[in-house]
């Protein structure tokens, strides 16, 4: 058991985000989800319109602040809710909605520096696309990384380009690797997002995506369950029988399989997710988030395995074709 030094967070057998924060800062830290008013090249017509087929009107920022409010008001409202339970917490400003490096550098600086100036903010987490990392922005992120706790979150979703075409992702796997390497070369901590249950993907394909994230040396991962939300193109896939939502048991076993092949030092930022109750069409079991997480814990314990117990270090250069 001693081998898996990152896995032991109470009853957890994986390296949780909460454990990482406690070990790094020694106190309670919250992410405050913000909507900074950005858009996405897959929404504004640069690459396409409408975004990815699963994307809600909020641009995957369903639980972020109100975009009609300025960042100060958004931050204070969310902070006030958190203070009721943890009055001495500190905060990471989380730029969540849409693509948060998709603007001129001067605009990005104004948004990021504003939040960094708020009391008790100890870092930033910036969610973006791998094809929206121009050199001047990466240079600025590298500078930020020297003076605050910075994480950049990159949407991969799948390594399979045929799936990316179906979901209207707007970039290839090679595009992702090119963007990821830019951040890795500057020692910027990176979280990779993947989605289980995408149209046309079987278990082997989903495991291949998880294995690729393990091999690229990502600092963290977010594993999402595909949600089918009202008023998205994915709704039509459901209505036309082109997609079958994952069952809870299937999802739990898959996530445990994926955890076993991820390196033990990788921080697990998320293992499931839940859409807004009044907008979620399927799978409805995902609303029972804590039940899902508890069942993942129970299954790992039943197996007697841990994050990294089946990890094999790659014997190839995943970045050999990068620019």
């Amino acid at each position: 058991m001693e081998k898996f030094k990152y896995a032991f967070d109470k009853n957890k057998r994986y390296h949780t985000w909460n454990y990482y924060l406690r070990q790094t800062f020694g106190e309670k830290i919250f992410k405050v989800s913000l909507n900074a008013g950005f858009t996405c090249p897959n929404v504004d017509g640069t690459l396409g319109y409408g975004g990815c087929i699963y994307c809600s009107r909020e641009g995957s920022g369903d639980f972020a602040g109100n975009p009609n409010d300025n960042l100060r008001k958004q931050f204070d409202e969310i902070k006030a809710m958190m203070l009721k339970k943890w009055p001495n917490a500190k905060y990471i400003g989380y730029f969540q909605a849409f693509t948060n490096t998709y603007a001129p550098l001067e605009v990005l600086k104004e948004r990021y520096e504003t939040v960094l100036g708020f009391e008790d903010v100890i870092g930033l987490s910036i969610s973006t696309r791998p094809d929206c990392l121009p050199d001047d922005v990466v240079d600025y992120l590298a500078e930020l990384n020297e003076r605050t706790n910075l994480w950049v979150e990159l949407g991969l979703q799948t390594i399979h380009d045929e799936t990316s075409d179906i979901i209207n992702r707007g970039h290839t796997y090679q595009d992702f690797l090119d963007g990821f390497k830019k951040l890795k070369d500057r020692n910027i901590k990176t979280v990779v997002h993947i989605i289980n249950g995408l149209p046309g993907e079987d278990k082997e394909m989903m495991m291949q995506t998880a294995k690729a994230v393990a091999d690229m040396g990502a600092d963290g991962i977010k594993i999402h369950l595909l949600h089918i939300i009202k008023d998205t193109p994915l709704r039509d896939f459901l209505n036309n029988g082109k997609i079958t939502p994952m069952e809870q048991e299937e999802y739990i076993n898959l996530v445990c399989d994926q955890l076993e092949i991820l390196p033990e030092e990788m921080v697990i930022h998320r293992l499931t997710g839940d859409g807004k109750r009044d907008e979620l069409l399927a799978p409805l079991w995902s609303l029972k988030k804590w039940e899902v997480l508890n069942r993942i814990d129970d299954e790992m314990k039943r197996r007697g395995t841990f994050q990294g117990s089946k990890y094999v270090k790659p014997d190839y250069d995943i970045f050999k074709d990068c620019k």
Side-chain angles (χ1 to χ4, degrees), residues 3 40 67 77 91 102 104 115 132 142 159-160 186 223 242 260 263-264 278 300 309:
K3 175 185 174 186
C40 173
E77 288 183 352
Y91 306 94
Y102 187 55
V115 174
C132 292
I159 66 168
H160 303 286
R186 305 300 291 272
I223 301 176
K242 294 181 179 180
E260 290 173 354
E264 60 180 292
D278 59 346
M300 295 292 283
S309 59

Side-chain angles (χ1 to χ4, degrees), residues 159-175:
I159 66 168
H160 303 286
D161 287 343
E162 61 270 31
T163 306
S164 293
D165 289 341
I166 292 171
I167 65 176
N168 195 39
R169 185 65 192 157
H171 66 72
T172 66
Y173 178 43
Q174 187 59 55
D175 293 333

Side-chain angles (χ1 to χ4, degrees), residues 228-245 281-282:
I228 303 170
I229 305 295
K230 294 178 181 178
D231 300 323
T232 64
L234 197 58
R235 173 198 57 189
D236 298 330
F237 277 62
L238 179 67
N239 292 340
N240 296 331
K242 294 181 179 180
I243 189 171
T244 301
L281 295 176

Side-chain angles (χ1 to χ4, degrees), residues 203-254:
K203 179 181 177 179
E204 181 180 1
M205 296 172 75
M206 290 180 264
M207 288 297 294
Q208 288 168 349
T209 293
K211 179 63 165 64
V213 178
D215 290 350
M216 69 180 63
D219 300 281
I221 189 171
K222 283 189 174 181
I223 301 176
H224 297 269
L225 166 68
L226 182 68
H227 292 97
I228 303 170
I229 305 295
K230 294 178 181 178
D231 300 323
T232 64
L234 197 58
R235 173 198 57 189
D236 298 330
F237 277 62
L238 179 67
N239 292 340
N240 296 331
K242 294 181 179 180
I243 189 171
T244 301
M246 296 188 78
E247 297 292 341
Q248 187 185 84
E249 189 75 19
E250 176 189 17
Y251 184 77
I252 288 165
N253 279 290
L254 173 63

Side-chain angles (χ1 to χ4, degrees), residues 17 20 31 92 94 124-130 133 149-157 169 176 179-180 183-184 188-194 213 216-224 266-271:
W17 171 237
Y20 164 82
K31 289 174 79 172
I92 292 175
Y94 180 24
L124 296 178
S125 190
I126 298 168
S127 182
T128 190
R129 290 169 58 96
L133 292 169
N149 187 68
L150 177 68
W151 288 81
V152 175
E153 303 195 15
L154 285 184
L156 170 59
Q157 322 313 359
R169 185 65 192 157
F176 175 88
F180 179 90
L183 299 173
K184 187 176 179 66
I188 297 169
K189 295 187 294 296
T190 307
V191 187
V192 177
H193 291 231
I194 66 173
V213 178
M216 69 180 63
D219 300 281
I221 189 171
K222 283 189 174 181
I223 301 176
H224 297 269
M266 184 181 291
V267 181
I268 311 300
H269 290 243
R270 178 179 288 274
L271 286 181

